[in-house]
Amino acid sequence: MADFLRDLFRAMPKAELHMHLDGALEVKTAIELMTGRAPDAKAPDGGGTECPKNAAGGAFRAQSYEALYRRLVIDGPLATQAALLGRYDLPIELLQSEEALERVTDDLLRAKAADRVRYCEIRWAPALHCAGGLGVRRVVESVARATKRACARYGILARLIVVGMRFHAPRENVSMLRQAAEADARGLLAAADLAGPEAAHPDPTVQQPFFDAARRLGLGLTLHCGELPSSADAIRRCVLRVAPDRIAHGSGAAADESLCALLAERGIRLDLCPTSNIQAGLYADYADFPVATLFRRGVPVSISTDSPVISGLTLSEEYYRTAAGGRLGPAELWAINLASLDSIFAEDAVKRALKAEFRAWAHGVSELCPDASRPD
Ligand SMILES: [Zn+2]
Protein backbone atom coordinates (compact mmCIF):
# COMPACT_ATOMS: atom_id res chain seq x y z
CA MET A 1 0.00 0.00 0.00
CA ALA A 2 2.85 2.34 0.87
CA ASP A 3 4.48 1.80 -2.52
CA PHE A 4 1.15 2.26 -4.29
CA LEU A 5 0.48 5.56 -2.50
CA ARG A 6 3.99 6.83 -3.15
CA ASP A 7 3.64 6.01 -6.85
CA LEU A 8 0.21 7.62 -7.00
CA PHE A 9 1.41 10.89 -5.45
CA ARG A 10 4.49 10.84 -7.68
CA ALA A 11 2.42 10.36 -10.81
CA MET A 12 -0.30 12.90 -10.13
CA PRO A 13 0.08 16.43 -11.49
CA LYS A 14 0.64 18.83 -8.62
CA ALA A 15 0.77 22.53 -7.76
CA GLU A 16 3.21 23.88 -5.16
CA LEU A 17 2.48 27.33 -3.79
CA HIS A 18 4.97 27.76 -0.92
CA MET A 19 8.60 27.24 -1.80
CA HIS A 20 11.76 29.24 -1.11
CA LEU A 21 14.47 29.57 -3.74
CA ASP A 22 17.27 29.69 -1.18
CA GLY A 23 15.89 26.52 0.41
CA ALA A 24 16.54 24.72 -2.87
CA LEU A 25 20.33 24.94 -3.12
CA GLU A 26 21.55 21.42 -3.81
CA VAL A 27 24.74 20.23 -2.11
CA LYS A 28 26.53 19.56 -5.40
CA THR A 29 25.64 23.05 -6.63
CA ALA A 30 26.85 24.54 -3.35
CA ILE A 31 30.20 22.80 -3.86
CA GLU A 32 30.42 24.09 -7.42
CA LEU A 33 29.71 27.61 -6.26
CA MET A 34 32.34 27.31 -3.52
CA THR A 35 35.07 25.67 -5.58
CA GLY A 36 34.28 26.72 -9.13
CA ARG A 37 34.14 23.10 -10.30
CA ALA A 38 31.79 20.13 -10.16
CA PRO A 39 32.16 17.81 -7.16
CA ASP A 40 34.38 14.79 -7.77
CA ALA A 41 32.06 11.79 -7.59
CA LYS A 42 35.01 9.46 -6.90
CA ALA A 43 36.34 11.40 -3.94
CA PRO A 44 34.95 10.08 -0.63
CA ASP A 45 33.93 13.56 0.44
CA GLY A 46 32.71 14.64 -3.01
CA GLY A 47 35.75 16.85 -3.38
CA GLY A 48 34.18 19.73 -1.50
CA THR A 49 37.22 20.62 0.56
CA GLU A 50 38.57 23.64 -1.27
CA CYS A 51 37.76 27.12 -0.12
CA PRO A 52 38.26 29.89 -2.66
CA LYS A 53 36.71 33.35 -2.31
CA ASN A 54 32.98 33.87 -2.29
CA ALA A 55 31.23 36.51 -4.40
CA ALA A 56 31.36 39.04 -1.58
CA GLY A 57 35.13 38.64 -1.31
CA GLY A 58 35.20 36.56 1.86
CA ALA A 59 36.66 33.07 2.05
CA PHE A 60 34.48 30.02 2.65
CA ARG A 61 35.60 27.62 5.29
CA ALA A 62 36.69 24.26 3.92
CA GLN A 63 34.01 21.62 4.34
CA SER A 64 33.58 18.03 3.29
CA TYR A 65 30.60 17.01 1.17
CA GLU A 66 29.11 15.28 4.17
CA ALA A 67 29.59 18.28 6.45
CA LEU A 68 28.01 20.51 3.84
CA TYR A 69 25.09 18.11 3.50
CA ARG A 70 24.58 18.18 7.25
CA ARG A 71 24.71 21.97 7.22
CA LEU A 72 22.12 22.29 4.42
CA VAL A 73 19.71 19.41 4.90
CA ILE A 74 17.71 18.82 8.09
CA ASP A 75 17.41 15.18 9.09
CA GLY A 76 15.67 15.48 12.45
CA PRO A 77 13.66 17.95 14.49
CA LEU A 78 15.37 21.21 15.46
CA ALA A 79 14.64 23.08 18.64
CA THR A 80 13.10 26.25 17.21
CA GLN A 81 11.90 28.07 14.12
CA ALA A 82 14.97 30.30 14.46
CA ALA A 83 17.22 27.21 14.19
CA LEU A 84 15.44 26.25 10.97
CA LEU A 85 15.80 29.75 9.56
CA GLY A 86 19.54 29.53 10.31
CA ARG A 87 19.78 26.84 7.60
CA TYR A 88 19.23 29.55 5.01
CA ASP A 89 22.43 31.41 5.97
CA LEU A 90 24.82 29.44 3.77
CA PRO A 91 22.57 29.36 0.67
CA ILE A 92 22.08 33.11 0.93
CA GLU A 93 25.83 33.60 1.30
CA LEU A 94 26.45 31.54 -1.83
CA LEU A 95 23.64 32.96 -3.98
CA GLN A 96 25.17 36.37 -4.59
CA SER A 97 25.79 36.33 -8.33
CA GLU A 98 23.63 36.14 -11.44
CA GLU A 99 25.19 32.80 -12.32
CA ALA A 100 24.45 31.32 -8.89
CA LEU A 101 20.85 32.58 -8.90
CA GLU A 102 20.26 31.20 -12.39
CA ARG A 103 21.79 27.88 -11.42
CA VAL A 104 19.67 27.35 -8.30
CA THR A 105 16.52 28.38 -10.18
CA ASP A 106 17.26 25.86 -12.93
CA ASP A 107 18.04 23.11 -10.40
CA LEU A 108 14.78 23.80 -8.58
CA LEU A 109 12.54 23.75 -11.65
CA ARG A 110 14.23 20.67 -13.05
CA ALA A 111 13.64 18.81 -9.78
CA LYS A 112 10.05 20.01 -9.55
CA ALA A 113 9.25 18.98 -13.11
CA ALA A 114 10.76 15.53 -12.43
CA ASP A 115 8.39 15.22 -9.45
CA ARG A 116 5.38 16.03 -11.70
CA VAL A 117 4.84 19.49 -10.20
CA ARG A 118 3.09 21.22 -13.09
CA TYR A 119 2.86 24.69 -11.57
CA CYS A 120 4.88 26.28 -8.79
CA GLU A 121 5.52 29.64 -7.22
CA ILE A 122 9.10 30.51 -6.31
CA ARG A 123 9.66 33.02 -3.55
CA TRP A 124 12.81 34.68 -2.29
CA ALA A 125 14.01 37.98 -0.77
CA PRO A 126 15.96 39.88 -3.45
CA ALA A 127 17.46 42.28 -0.90
CA LEU A 128 19.35 39.38 0.71
CA HIS A 129 21.14 38.65 -2.56
CA CYS A 130 22.81 42.02 -3.06
CA ALA A 131 25.94 41.50 -0.91
CA GLY A 132 28.01 40.69 -3.99
CA GLY A 133 27.11 43.96 -5.69
CA LEU A 134 23.92 42.96 -7.52
CA GLY A 135 21.03 45.36 -7.14
CA VAL A 136 17.46 44.17 -6.63
CA ARG A 137 16.67 44.65 -10.32
CA ARG A 138 19.46 42.37 -11.49
CA VAL A 139 18.59 39.78 -8.86
CA VAL A 140 14.98 39.68 -10.05
CA GLU A 141 16.00 39.65 -13.71
CA SER A 142 18.41 36.73 -13.12
CA VAL A 143 15.78 34.59 -11.46
CA ALA A 144 13.12 35.57 -14.03
CA ARG A 145 15.46 34.80 -16.94
CA ALA A 146 16.34 31.38 -15.53
CA THR A 147 12.70 30.65 -14.71
CA LYS A 148 11.56 31.43 -18.24
CA ARG A 149 14.28 29.26 -19.71
CA ALA A 150 13.76 26.35 -17.31
CA CYS A 151 9.97 26.37 -17.75
CA ALA A 152 10.42 25.93 -21.48
CA ARG A 153 13.16 23.33 -21.03
CA TYR A 154 11.39 21.14 -18.46
CA GLY A 155 7.74 21.74 -19.36
CA ILE A 156 6.57 23.36 -16.13
CA LEU A 157 4.78 26.63 -15.31
CA ALA A 158 5.97 29.04 -12.62
CA ARG A 159 5.39 32.49 -11.15
CA LEU A 160 7.62 34.55 -8.84
CA ILE A 161 6.95 36.05 -5.42
CA VAL A 162 9.34 38.61 -3.94
CA VAL A 163 9.73 38.54 -0.19
CA GLY A 164 10.15 41.48 2.20
CA MET A 165 11.80 40.67 5.52
CA ARG A 166 10.24 41.28 8.92
CA PHE A 167 13.60 42.58 10.21
CA HIS A 168 13.89 45.16 7.43
CA ALA A 169 12.29 48.57 7.92
CA PRO A 170 9.02 49.03 5.98
CA ARG A 171 10.64 51.68 3.77
CA GLU A 172 13.41 49.22 2.81
CA ASN A 173 10.85 46.60 1.89
CA VAL A 174 8.86 49.16 -0.14
CA SER A 175 12.04 50.21 -1.95
CA MET A 176 12.86 46.55 -2.74
CA LEU A 177 9.35 46.06 -4.10
CA ARG A 178 9.52 49.12 -6.34
CA GLN A 179 12.84 48.02 -7.79
CA ALA A 180 11.52 44.51 -8.31
CA ALA A 181 8.48 45.89 -10.13
CA GLU A 182 10.76 47.95 -12.40
CA ALA A 183 12.84 44.91 -13.35
CA ASP A 184 12.22 42.99 -16.54
CA ALA A 185 10.62 40.02 -14.80
CA ARG A 186 9.29 38.61 -18.10
CA GLY A 187 5.71 38.75 -16.88
CA LEU A 188 6.45 36.30 -14.05
CA LEU A 189 6.43 38.55 -10.97
CA ALA A 190 3.03 37.91 -9.44
CA ALA A 191 3.00 38.62 -5.70
CA ALA A 192 4.70 39.90 -2.56
CA ASP A 193 5.29 38.03 0.69
CA LEU A 194 6.62 38.89 4.15
CA ALA A 195 8.89 36.42 5.96
CA GLY A 196 11.49 36.21 8.74
CA PRO A 197 11.59 35.36 12.44
CA GLU A 198 8.06 35.73 13.78
CA ALA A 199 8.92 35.49 17.47
CA ALA A 200 11.35 38.44 17.26
CA HIS A 201 9.00 40.49 15.04
CA PRO A 202 5.50 39.37 15.99
CA ASP A 203 3.43 42.23 14.58
CA PRO A 204 3.28 42.20 10.75
CA THR A 205 1.02 45.27 10.68
CA VAL A 206 4.09 47.52 11.12
CA GLN A 207 4.77 46.55 7.48
CA GLN A 208 1.50 48.08 6.25
CA PRO A 209 3.32 50.43 3.80
CA PHE A 210 4.86 47.33 2.18
CA PHE A 211 1.46 45.66 1.86
CA ASP A 212 -0.06 48.87 0.47
CA ALA A 213 2.75 49.16 -2.09
CA ALA A 214 2.16 45.57 -3.23
CA ARG A 215 -1.52 46.30 -3.78
CA ARG A 216 -0.76 49.55 -5.64
CA LEU A 217 1.57 47.63 -7.94
CA GLY A 218 -1.20 45.15 -8.70
CA LEU A 219 0.59 42.24 -7.02
CA GLY A 220 -0.99 39.43 -5.06
CA LEU A 221 -0.29 39.45 -1.33
CA THR A 222 0.68 36.68 1.05
CA LEU A 223 2.63 36.67 4.29
CA HIS A 224 4.22 34.23 6.69
CA CYS A 225 2.12 34.14 9.82
CA GLY A 226 0.91 31.83 12.54
CA GLU A 227 3.09 28.74 12.42
CA LEU A 228 2.88 28.23 16.16
CA PRO A 229 -0.01 26.13 17.49
CA SER A 230 -0.84 29.04 19.84
CA SER A 231 -0.90 31.75 17.19
CA ALA A 232 -4.62 31.99 16.39
CA ASP A 233 -4.82 35.60 17.64
CA ALA A 234 -1.92 36.68 15.41
CA ILE A 235 -3.60 35.07 12.40
CA ARG A 236 -6.95 36.74 13.16
CA ARG A 237 -5.21 40.14 13.44
CA CYS A 238 -3.46 39.49 10.16
CA VAL A 239 -6.72 38.50 8.40
CA LEU A 240 -8.63 41.50 9.71
CA ARG A 241 -5.95 44.16 9.33
CA VAL A 242 -3.75 43.01 6.43
CA ALA A 243 -6.39 41.06 4.46
CA PRO A 244 -3.88 38.99 2.43
CA ASP A 245 -4.93 36.76 -0.45
CA ARG A 246 -3.14 33.83 1.16
CA ILE A 247 -1.14 33.03 4.31
CA ALA A 248 2.12 31.08 4.36
CA HIS A 249 1.65 28.46 7.13
CA GLY A 250 -1.09 29.72 9.49
CA SER A 251 -1.63 26.22 10.88
CA GLY A 252 -2.23 27.75 14.34
CA ALA A 253 -5.73 28.67 13.10
CA ALA A 254 -6.85 25.10 13.78
CA ALA A 255 -7.08 25.86 17.51
CA ASP A 256 -9.86 28.41 16.94
CA GLU A 257 -13.09 27.31 15.26
CA SER A 258 -14.39 30.84 14.65
CA LEU A 259 -11.11 31.80 12.99
CA CYS A 260 -11.43 28.76 10.73
CA ALA A 261 -14.91 30.00 9.78
CA LEU A 262 -13.49 33.45 9.04
CA LEU A 263 -10.75 32.02 6.78
CA ALA A 264 -13.31 29.84 5.01
CA GLU A 265 -15.70 32.76 4.52
CA ARG A 266 -12.98 35.02 3.10
CA GLY A 267 -11.40 32.28 1.03
CA ILE A 268 -7.93 32.92 2.46
CA ARG A 269 -5.82 29.87 1.70
CA LEU A 270 -3.22 28.58 4.17
CA ASP A 271 -0.15 27.31 2.32
CA LEU A 272 0.87 24.58 4.77
CA CYS A 273 4.26 22.87 5.00
CA PRO A 274 3.89 19.97 7.45
CA THR A 275 7.47 18.65 7.33
CA SER A 276 9.05 22.07 7.69
CA ASN A 277 6.91 22.86 10.74
CA ILE A 278 7.66 19.49 12.32
CA GLN A 279 11.38 20.03 11.67
CA ALA A 280 11.12 23.45 13.32
CA GLY A 281 9.87 21.71 16.46
CA LEU A 282 6.42 23.32 16.22
CA TYR A 283 4.50 20.01 15.94
CA ALA A 284 5.40 16.57 17.27
CA ASP A 285 4.63 14.58 14.11
CA TYR A 286 2.29 14.32 11.09
CA ALA A 287 -0.63 13.13 13.22
CA ASP A 288 -0.19 16.26 15.37
CA PHE A 289 -0.12 18.61 12.37
CA PRO A 290 -3.67 19.93 11.87
CA VAL A 291 -4.18 19.77 8.10
CA ALA A 292 -7.12 17.36 8.44
CA THR A 293 -8.85 19.59 11.00
CA LEU A 294 -8.44 22.69 8.84
CA PHE A 295 -9.59 20.93 5.67
CA ARG A 296 -12.69 19.44 7.28
CA ARG A 297 -13.65 22.83 8.68
CA GLY A 298 -13.68 24.22 5.16
CA VAL A 299 -10.48 26.27 5.45
CA PRO A 300 -8.78 26.51 2.03
CA VAL A 301 -5.36 24.90 2.34
CA SER A 302 -2.52 23.81 0.10
CA ILE A 303 0.46 21.54 0.78
CA SER A 304 4.08 22.45 -0.02
CA THR A 305 7.62 21.60 0.99
CA ASP A 306 8.68 25.15 2.01
CA SER A 307 12.29 24.29 1.14
CA PRO A 308 12.87 21.13 -0.89
CA VAL A 309 16.59 20.79 -0.11
CA ILE A 310 16.68 22.15 3.44
CA SER A 311 13.66 20.03 4.40
CA GLY A 312 15.05 17.20 2.27
CA LEU A 313 11.94 15.98 0.45
CA THR A 314 9.88 16.17 -2.72
CA LEU A 315 6.28 17.36 -2.86
CA SER A 316 5.19 13.77 -3.60
CA GLU A 317 6.86 12.65 -0.39
CA GLU A 318 5.18 15.52 1.51
CA TYR A 319 1.80 14.23 0.26
CA TYR A 320 2.72 10.68 1.17
CA ARG A 321 3.78 11.56 4.71
CA THR A 322 0.65 13.68 5.15
CA ALA A 323 -1.50 10.76 4.02
CA ALA A 324 0.39 8.26 6.18
CA GLY A 325 0.23 10.27 9.37
CA GLY A 326 -2.20 13.10 8.89
CA ARG A 327 -5.58 11.34 8.81
CA LEU A 328 -6.33 12.38 5.22
CA GLY A 329 -6.99 9.96 2.38
CA PRO A 330 -5.76 10.29 -1.19
CA ALA A 331 -9.12 11.65 -2.42
CA GLU A 332 -9.00 14.46 0.15
CA LEU A 333 -5.39 15.25 -0.71
CA TRP A 334 -6.28 15.32 -4.39
CA ALA A 335 -9.15 17.72 -3.59
CA ILE A 336 -6.66 19.97 -1.75
CA ASN A 337 -4.27 19.85 -4.70
CA LEU A 338 -7.00 20.66 -7.24
CA ALA A 339 -8.58 23.45 -5.16
CA SER A 340 -5.20 25.10 -4.57
CA LEU A 341 -5.30 26.11 -8.25
CA ASP A 342 -8.12 28.53 -7.36
CA SER A 343 -5.64 30.63 -5.37
CA ILE A 344 -2.52 30.63 -7.52
CA PHE A 345 -1.03 34.00 -8.42
CA ALA A 346 -1.50 33.46 -12.15
CA GLU A 347 -3.95 34.61 -14.78
CA ASP A 348 -7.40 33.02 -15.01
CA ALA A 349 -6.55 31.36 -18.32
CA VAL A 350 -3.62 29.55 -16.64
CA LYS A 351 -5.88 28.44 -13.78
CA ARG A 352 -8.49 27.12 -16.18
CA ALA A 353 -5.95 25.25 -18.29
CA LEU A 354 -4.30 23.64 -15.26
CA LYS A 355 -7.65 22.64 -13.76
CA ALA A 356 -8.70 21.02 -17.01
CA GLU A 357 -5.37 19.18 -17.23
CA PHE A 358 -5.53 17.97 -13.60
CA ARG A 359 -9.15 16.83 -13.93
CA ALA A 360 -8.48 14.99 -17.17
CA TRP A 361 -5.55 13.15 -15.59
CA ALA A 362 -7.51 12.09 -12.49
CA HIS A 363 -10.66 11.07 -14.34
CA GLY A 364 -11.24 7.40 -13.67
CA VAL A 365 -8.57 7.14 -10.96
CA SER A 366 -10.92 5.77 -8.32
CA GLU A 367 -8.60 6.48 -5.35
CA LEU A 368 -8.63 10.20 -6.20
CA CYS A 369 -12.13 10.70 -7.59
CA PRO A 370 -14.37 7.98 -6.12
CA ASP A 371 -17.57 9.65 -7.39
CA ALA A 372 -16.36 10.12 -10.98
CA SER A 373 -15.37 6.48 -11.32
CA ARG A 374 -18.77 5.12 -10.24
CA PRO A 375 -20.94 3.89 -13.09
CA ASP A 376 -23.87 6.24 -13.87
ZN1 LIG B 1 8.02 29.76 3.96
Side-chain angles (χ1 to χ4, degrees):
M1 185 65 179
D3 285 349
F4 169 77
L5 270 185
R6 277 207 162 93
D7 288 347
L8 180 66
F9 291 133
R10 224 176 271 143
M12 77 185 202
K14 296 172 284 294
E16 184 160 14
L17 278 54
H18 182 173
M19 205 171 60
H20 294 261
L21 181 67
D22 25 22
L25 177 63
E26 296 176 5
V27 178
K28 66 179 172 50
T29 303
I31 288 176
E32 277 190 56
L33 295 174
M34 293 169 96
T35 65
R37 61 178 173 78
D40 179 356
K42 290 185 190 142
D45 61 1
T49 53
E50 292 182 23
C51 50
K53 301 279 183 191
N54 67 14
F60 289 114
R61 247 167 18 96
Q63 291 185 56
S64 70
Y65 188 98
E66 200 187 325
L68 202 52
Y69 183 92
R70 280 201 307 271
R71 203 170 152 190
L72 282 172
V73 182
I74 299 168
D75 66 353
L78 302 169
T80 60
Q81 184 200 34
L84 182 130
L85 293 177
R87 296 299 180 112
Y88 288 85
D89 291 349
L90 179 66
I92 289 170
E93 192 182 348
L94 287 168
L95 298 173
Q96 297 293 338
S97 68
E98 291 180 306
E99 181 203 5
L101 288 162
E102 291 190 35
R103 177 68 195 273
V104 71
T105 305
D106 192 84
D107 282 352
L108 173 59
L109 286 165
R110 189 189 60 246
K112 289 293 153 186
D115 190 38
R116 281 279 284 156
V117 173
R118 294 285 299 118
Y119 171 89
C120 65
E121 292 174 356
I122 302 174
R123 63 183 76 198
W124 85 114
L128 300 182
H129 299 269
C130 296
L134 293 179
V136 166
R137 275 175 77 149
R138 280 175 67 196
V139 170
V140 171
E141 286 171 359
S142 303
V143 175
R145 192 162 53 238
T147 300
K148 196 88 182 173
R149 199 167 47 222
C151 284
R153 186 180 291 162
Y154 306 123
I156 182 171
L157 294 165
R159 292 293 181 271
L160 303 177
I161 301 174
V162 287
V163 179
M165 301 306 298
R166 281 174 182 262
F167 50 75
H168 286 165
R171 64 182 160 69
E172 292 175 75
N173 284 328
V174 170
S175 166
M176 178 281 294
L177 201 52
R178 287 209 185 109
Q179 292 174 69
E182 285 167 11
D184 175 13
R186 313 203 173 208
L188 298 173
L189 178 58
D193 173 29
L194 182 76
E198 198 173 355
H201 304 271
D203 184 7
T205 63
V206 299
Q207 297 285 348
Q208 194 61 45
F210 174 64
F211 304 138
D212 292 343
R215 293 299 193 194
R216 272 198 307 277
L217 290 164
L219 295 171
L221 183 61
T222 181
L223 77 162
H224 281 67
C225 178
E227 294 177 55
L228 303 167
S230 59
S231 56
D233 288 346
I235 299 166
R236 183 187 302 280
R237 205 165 46 238
C238 163
V239 169
L240 296 176
R241 292 177 59 184
V242 180
D245 300 305
R246 299 189 338 225
I247 290 174
H249 300 298
S251 45
D256 184 330
E257 223 166 311
S258 69
L259 175 57
C260 289
L262 181 67
L263 289 162
E265 179 200 314
R266 301 204 175 184
I268 297 177
R269 190 169 303 275
L270 306 181
D271 297 322
L272 304 170
C273 306
T275 298
S276 173
N277 280 179
I278 292 165
Q279 288 173 334
L282 303 175
Y283 295 90
D285 52 30
Y286 294 90
D288 188 34
F289 190 81
V291 56
T293 305
L294 291 163
F295 176 70
R296 289 182 185 138
R297 285 186 183 156
V299 179
V301 294
S302 72
I303 292 173
S304 298
T305 59
D306 213 5
S307 291
V309 172
I310 288 178
S311 284
L313 81 171
T314 60
L315 184 59
S316 301
E317 179 66 15
E318 189 79 84
Y319 270 94
Y320 172 74
R321 292 185 194 175
T322 303
R327 304 189 302 272
L328 283 174
E332 291 169 305
L333 287 162
W334 173 253
I336 287 172
N337 181 42
L338 191 63
S340 70
L341 293 172
D342 291 330
S343 306
I344 61 175
F345 292 128
E347 310 83 272
D348 287 345
V350 175
K351 288 182 193 175
R352 278 196 301 273
L354 284 165
K355 278 210 151 185
E357 179 192 325
F358 281 32
R359 282 205 175 102
W361 185 87
H363 187 73
V365 181
S366 59
E367 290 79 7
L368 301 183
C369 308
D371 294 340
S373 59
R374 252 181 236 139
D376 291 331

